[in-house]
Amino acid sequence: MANQWFETVAVAQERAKRRIPSSVYGALIAGAEAGISMNDNTTAFDQLGFRPITAGQPAERRMETTIMGQPASMPVMISPTGVQAVHPDGEVAVARAAAARGIPMALSSFGSKPVEDVCAVNSQTFFQIYWAGDRDSMVARMERAKAAGAVGMILTLDWSFSHGRDWGSPHIPQSMAIKELLPHIGEVLARPRWLATWLRRGTIPMLGVPNFVTDNSKPPPFFEAYGTWMMTPPPTWEDVAWLRAQWDGPFLVKGIARADEARRAVDAGVTAISVSNHGGNNVDSAPASVRTLPEIADAVGGDVQVLLDGGIRRGSDVVKALALGADAVLIGRAYLWGLAANGQAGVENVLDVIRAGMDATMRGIGVGAIGDLTRADVVIPDGFCPPRIS
C-alpha cells in the first residue's frame, strides 16, 4: 500500500477530493451564497505576517494549555461538525485521534455517532447543541450528554439558513430509500476505495442524527431534525442565560462576531466564547473570524476564554490567532479532510501537521511558550480589522 501520510492540510484536502463522492466533498467545502466569508477566513490569515529572528531562538517550544478546564497538549480543539459520512467510523475515529494527541473533542448534536460512543473513547468530549425544539427537549439532550460523560456544553448560534450558493448546493439524499440514492450511484461507483471501506464494515452511510433524541430511540432523519431547528424561534440573550443555567460545567457560545455581543455573552454567564462565522456558512460578506478577534479579545479576554473558529489550515495560523488574542482554536474542515483521506490516522496526521507548523513558527519568531505570544509578533496590514463596534 502506498504511503498515506501527508505533510500539509492542502494535500489532505486533495486526497479527500479524490477519495470521496463528489456530492460528499461538495458538502465539505460548501459556503453560503458567493462564498465571500468562507474564502476570507483563509485569505485573512494569508494577509498576516511574522517578524522572524535570526539568533537566540528557543531550544524548546511549549504548547500545552488548558481549554475550558481540560488539559490540552496544544491550543487546538476539534470543532463540532455534522453528519460525518466521509468515513464509517465518523466521530468515533475523530474522538480517538483527538485523545491520542491529547486534545479535547466537540461532538455535534447533528453527529452520526451517539454521544455515548464518543465519550467512551475520549474523556474530554464537549457536546454541542442548537437552540432547537422546546426547552424540555433541549434540557433532556443536555442531560443525556452529561450522563454519557460530556465535560462541557457548546451552544452554536451563528447560522442564517441560507441555501443559495452561486456554484450550486450539493444534493444530499433525505433518506436511504432507493429513489433517493439512485442519483448518487454513478459518483459512488467512481470512488471504489471509498465504497469498499464501507462494504468491509458491512454498513452504508446513515443520515440519522442519534444525538437529537433524548434516549436510545430511533434517530430522526437529518432533514427532520434540521427542520425542527429552522422552525424554532431564535433565542434571546435571556434564553441563552437560561440554557447556560441548566448546565453546571463549562459552557461556550459559538458564533460571536462583535465585541458588544461578546459582552452580552459574558453577562449571560458563559465561560467561553468562540469567534466564528460558521466556516463561512452564516451571513455571507461577514468578515473572517480572525479579523474581528482582536476587538473581541480586548473586550472580554480577561473574563472568559476566547476561542477562534474558521480558516485554520496550518500551525502558523494557530500562532497568528493566539498572538491576536485567542486562547485556543477550533478546527473543522481540516480534520474532516484528514478523516476522509485516511480515517483516524488521517485525523492524527492533520493534528501532527498543525503541531509541527506551530513548533516551526514559534522557533522562527523566537517565542518559547504560547503564553508569550503578543501582537508584536505579527505584522498586521492597515485595514485588516473592521471598524470597532462599541
Side-chain angles (χ1 to χ4, degrees):
M1 180 181 296
N3 181 17
Q4 297 188 60
W5 182 84
F6 43 82
E7 60 179 317
T8 69
V9 171
V11 174
Q13 180 181 358
E14 181 58 32
R15 291 188 184 178
K17 182 179 181 179
R18 295 200 307 262
R19 183 179 179 86
I20 61 181
S22 57
S23 61
V24 179
Y25 179 74
L28 293 188
I29 64 170
E33 298 183 337
I36 294 170
S37 295
M38 179 182 69
N39 293 327
D40 194 40
N41 275 344
T42 53
T43 298
F45 277 109
D46 294 341
Q47 293 174 355
L48 294 167
F50 288 114
R51 294 183 171 90
I53 68 167
T54 304
Q57 299 161 328
E60 297 181 354
R61 276 71 59 194
R62 297 188 60 182
M63 304 176 204
E64 65 273 12
T65 189
T66 300
I67 304 175
M68 290 185 281
Q70 296 298 309
S73 63
M74 59 179 173
V76 175
M77 181 175 177
I78 295 294
S79 187
T81 61
V83 180
Q84 296 179 9
V86 299
H87 190 277
D89 293 336
E91 293 85 357
V92 171
V94 176
R96 286 180 177 138
R101 294 300 182 266
I103 66 169
M105 161 81 181
L107 172 67
S108 172
S109 58
F110 279 82
S112 63
K113 300 296 182 182
V115 62
E116 291 82 3
D117 293 357
V118 174
C119 287
V121 299
N122 191 319
S123 62
Q124 295 182 295
T125 297
F126 287 72
F127 184 71
Q128 178 268 343
I129 191 171
Y130 289 102
W131 186 265
D134 59 34
R135 289 189 170 199
D136 289 344
S137 65
M138 284 185 270
V139 171
R141 290 195 292 272
M142 293 167 68
E143 290 177 342
R144 176 186 171 189
K146 178 174 283 292
V151 297
M153 188 63 50
I154 295 174
L155 172 63
T156 300
L157 295 180
D158 56 334
W159 187 264
S160 63
F161 300 107
S162 174
H163 298 285
R165 296 185 174 98
D166 288 358
W167 55 91
S169 297
H171 178 265
I172 301 174
Q174 298 197 46
S175 72
M176 301 310 291
I178 295 298
K179 66 177 182 179
E180 289 282 348
L181 296 177
L182 280 177
H184 299 273
I185 294 299
E187 62 176 297
V188 170
L189 293 178
R191 298 291 186 267
R193 290 189 302 158
W194 182 81
L195 177 59
T197 301
W198 287 90
L199 294 178
R200 282 195 298 269
R201 303 296 178 88
T203 186
I204 59 174
M206 300 302 293
L207 297 177
V209 283
N211 299 308
F212 211 77
V213 293
T214 58
D215 50 30
N216 292 320
S217 58
K218 183 179 179 180
F222 176 87
F223 286 97
E224 179 182 318
Y226 185 78
T228 298
W229 176 27
M230 288 183 67
M231 297 305 293
T232 304
T236 64
W237 281 110
E238 288 71 25
D239 291 326
V240 173
W242 170 83
L243 191 65
R244 192 277 172 269
Q246 311 309 307
W247 183 266
D248 61 0
F251 190 100
L252 177 146
V253 167
K254 186 172 180 289
I256 301 296
R258 300 162 44 136
D260 57 341
E261 288 218 310
R263 287 190 288 267
R264 294 295 299 271
V266 172
D267 292 341
V270 308
T271 55
I273 61 171
S274 178
V275 182
S276 172
N277 59 23
H278 212 110
N281 277 292
N282 193 13
V283 178
D284 201 23
S285 294
S289 302
V290 72
R291 296 188 192 278
T292 60
L293 172 63
E295 170 189 349
I296 292 169
D298 287 346
V300 300
D303 300 316
V304 294
Q305 279 203 310
V306 177
L307 281 71
L308 176 131
D309 179 20
I312 300 293
R313 301 290 185 270
R314 304 177 187 276
S316 57
D317 295 338
V318 180
V319 175
K320 291 172 182 177
L322 298 181
L324 293 185
D327 295 299
V329 303
L330 293 145
I331 61 170
R333 287 184 176 95
Y335 79 78
L336 287 175
W337 292 326
L339 178 66
N342 196 23
Q344 177 183 339
V347 179
E348 293 176 4
N349 195 157
V350 165
L351 295 174
D352 291 343
V353 164
I354 290 174
R355 184 180 185 89
M358 286 188 64
D359 187 74
T361 302
M362 291 172 65
R363 173 172 176 161
I365 62 176
V367 176
I370 57 173
D372 295 334
L373 288 163
T374 71
R375 290 178 197 172
D377 297 309
V378 180
V379 180
I380 306 173
D382 292 339
F384 178 81
C385 298
R388 291 179 179 271
I389 298 174
S390 59

